[in-house]
Amino acid sequence: FFLPMEAKLEHAISNIMSQPDVVGVLCTDSNGLCLAASGKVPAKSSGYIRSLALRTKEVAESGGEPLVAVENETTKILITENEEMTVAIFKSK
């Protein structure tokens, strides 16, 4: 059974959104353009999310894909990337 890339992405986002405390998911391409978003995600955040992932990769020396965590009093954002996209998961605290 073959699913197009969009359906796979929507399915993955749906699975992430069903996790406890998750309030939003954002996926960007390598240029920081939004590929998909769900839930409470700031409208103009895709470029910033991509930039954070790139800058972290520059300073991390582990060779693996770094995980960025940004927090304030109410929200925690987890950011990671692979060869295809950058993903940000927005969680309530």
Side-chain angles (χ1 to χ4, degrees):
F1 182 73
F2 176 74
L3 289 176
M5 187 172 125
E6 294 84 11
K8 289 179 185 178
L9 184 57
E10 289 174 15
H11 181 71
I13 289 173
S14 178
N15 285 341
I16 295 168
M17 287 294 296
S18 70
Q19 298 302 308
D21 301 324
V22 174
V23 296
V25 178
L26 174 73
C27 301
T28 74
D29 68 6
S30 61
N31 295 311
L33 299 174
C34 183
L35 296 174
S38 181
K40 291 178 65 176
V41 176
K44 297 180 180 180
S45 63
S46 62
Y48 297 117
I49 296 293
R50 176 68 179 145
S51 180
L52 279 170
L54 285 173
R55 298 306 171 251
T56 302
K57 200 172 188 177
E58 289 174 2
V59 293
E61 297 179 7
S62 67
E65 300 299 337
L67 175 68
V68 179
V70 179
E71 292 186 60
N72 66 20
E73 293 82 25
T74 61
T75 306
K76 181 176 188 175
I77 307 167
L78 303 173
I79 305 167
T80 189
E81 70 172 352
N82 61 30
E83 60 278 344
E84 296 177 9
M85 70 183 72
T86 300
V87 177
I89 301 171
F90 293 74
K91 299 181 84 173
S92 63
K93 290 175 73 176

